[in-house]
Amino acid sequence: MNLTIQVNEGPYQHQASDSAYFFTKAALEKGHEIFRVFFYHDGVNNGTRLTTPPQDDRNVVKRWSELAAEHDLDLVICVAAAQRRGIVDDGEAERNKKDATNIAPGFRISGLGQLVEGGIQSDRLVVFGD
Amino acid sequence: MSNIKKFMYVNRRAPYGTIYAWESLEVVLIGAAFEQDVSLAFIDDGVYQLVKGQDTAGIGMKNFSPTYAALGDYEVTKIYVEKESLEERGLTLDDLQHLVWEDEDDDWAEKDSIRLVSCAELAQVFAEQEVMFNF
């Protein structure tokens, strides 16, 4: 089956990102395809490389980056939600005159159309949120 | 696009306590360009999103409620409001914005967008959907 995953909550405050990660990983292990993982609302905060969780805890952001590298996943952060919350890549830094970037490896920033396209192109849209 | 799916956006939360309502509306507006078969549902505290005469001056937030009136122009014409949710909150249809769309196949007649449905009827509508967004 071809799946699009939507993540609506940030790391640590909610379990949604953890659940989405484990679901995505399990789906891949079962041979399903992940069309895209789309991060929306506070979910965009899963894509900052500047988090420093305690060493004895899981690293939510790094875990997504590693899964993306391993399976060539398309991790997309919503641009409108990212602008509100300060998730910045090179293009956004230039466009909005920001003095830094923070996007984590494997993530990219794009529009809401990517989410809608996921709904159209995939067999299932699976939403993780509060 | 030949691949048309039934999209349902479910709105469950009050408009300003969290950003879900506003960011849901942003998906609906962007999604309209994809020409899918779109429906919206308002349940639980989500029914407050459609209440008319909203004034956000006191909370310093943008009043985005006028945007709902534009949905008809985006060809979003099916807006389901759950009857039980309204009643539990002491609201009636008269407390909500009068949302309409113009039917080009009927000499641009103005038609109501809001469909008041029971929980059971809405469950039936949900069962017919292909893509469910939940906000």
Side-chain angles (χ1 to χ4, degrees):
Chain A
M1 198 174 271
N2 189 299
L3 305 169
T4 287
I5 311 295
Q6 183 181 348
V7 183
N8 286 340
E9 302 295 343
Y12 304 104
Q13 176 117 358
H14 296 258
Q15 195 184 355
S17 180
D18 296 85
S19 303
Y21 170 80
F22 288 122
F23 180 89
T24 302
K25 194 162 174 283
L28 288 164
E29 283 164 4
K30 289 276 187 187
H32 298 292
E33 291 167 39
I34 304 295
F35 179 76
R36 178 168 294 146
V37 183
F38 192 88
F39 296 86
Y40 196 42
H41 303 307
D42 276 356
V44 300
N45 291 314
N46 288 288
T48 169
R49 65 171 186 269
L50 300 185
T51 65
T52 312
Q55 284 188 3
D56 59 354
D57 196 1
R58 71 221 189 276
N59 189 323
V60 172
V61 175
K62 196 163 165 234
R63 221 166 44 177
W64 277 117
S65 291
E66 287 170 355
L67 194 66
E70 194 180 334
H71 297 279
D72 198 23
L73 287 183
D74 189 20
L75 306 183
V76 178
I77 291 172
C78 168
V79 62
Q83 286 174 346
R84 288 193 178 101
R85 295 165 178 84
I87 303 298
V88 182
D89 63 5
D90 288 339
E92 282 295 297
E94 194 180 329
R95 199 169 303 119
N96 300 312
K97 309 267 187 298
K98 301 298 177 188
D99 59 6
T101 69
N102 60 351
I103 195 164
F107 289 81
R108 66 186 178 94
I109 295 178
S110 188
L112 277 169
Q114 300 271 305
L115 172 62
V116 179
E117 187 197 20
I120 296 170
Q121 298 297 337
S122 302
D123 298 312
R124 294 283 188 282
L125 171 76
V126 187
V127 184
F128 293 85
D130 199 20
Chain B
M1 197 176 294
S2 59
N3 188 1
I4 293 180
K5 285 189 174 177
K6 293 171 87 74
F7 272 58
M8 169 62 82
Y9 297 88
V10 184
N11 298 282
R12 302 177 286 128
R13 295 176 173 92
Y16 302 102
T18 63
I19 199 169
Y20 298 102
W22 176 222
E23 288 191 336
S24 168
L25 200 48
E26 288 189 332
V27 182
V28 173
L29 297 177
I30 296 282
F34 288 79
E35 297 181 350
Q36 301 295 302
D37 181 3
V38 173
S39 300
L40 270 59
F42 293 85
I43 62 173
D44 300 340
D45 277 352
V47 296
Y48 286 121
Q49 294 178 28
L50 298 179
V51 168
K52 64 186 174 190
Q54 294 179 26
D55 178 2
T56 59
I59 54 172
M61 289 191 202
K62 174 175 160 179
N63 178 0
F64 58 84
S65 64
T67 312
Y68 293 107
L71 287 174
D73 297 334
Y74 285 83
E75 294 180 25
V76 175
T77 63
K78 287 175 285 189
I79 298 179
Y80 296 91
V81 175
E82 195 203 56
K83 194 164 161 278
E84 288 88 340
S85 297
L86 271 187
E87 286 172 356
E88 283 164 7
R89 288 160 182 81
L91 298 170
T92 68
L93 267 189
D94 288 340
D95 295 305
L96 307 185
Q97 294 189 57
H98 184 213
L99 301 181
V100 296
W101 62 287
E102 292 177 349
D103 187 352
E104 60 177 317
D105 297 327
D106 190 10
D107 197 23
W108 303 98
E110 213 172 67
K111 299 189 174 176
D112 286 342
S113 302
I114 291 183
R115 304 171 185 201
L116 191 62
V117 291
S118 69
C119 181
E121 288 166 333
L122 191 57
Q124 185 57 44
V125 175
F126 282 179
E128 294 164 0
Q129 303 302 315
E130 295 175 280
V131 182
M132 297 279 290
F133 289 95
N134 200 341
F135 294 102

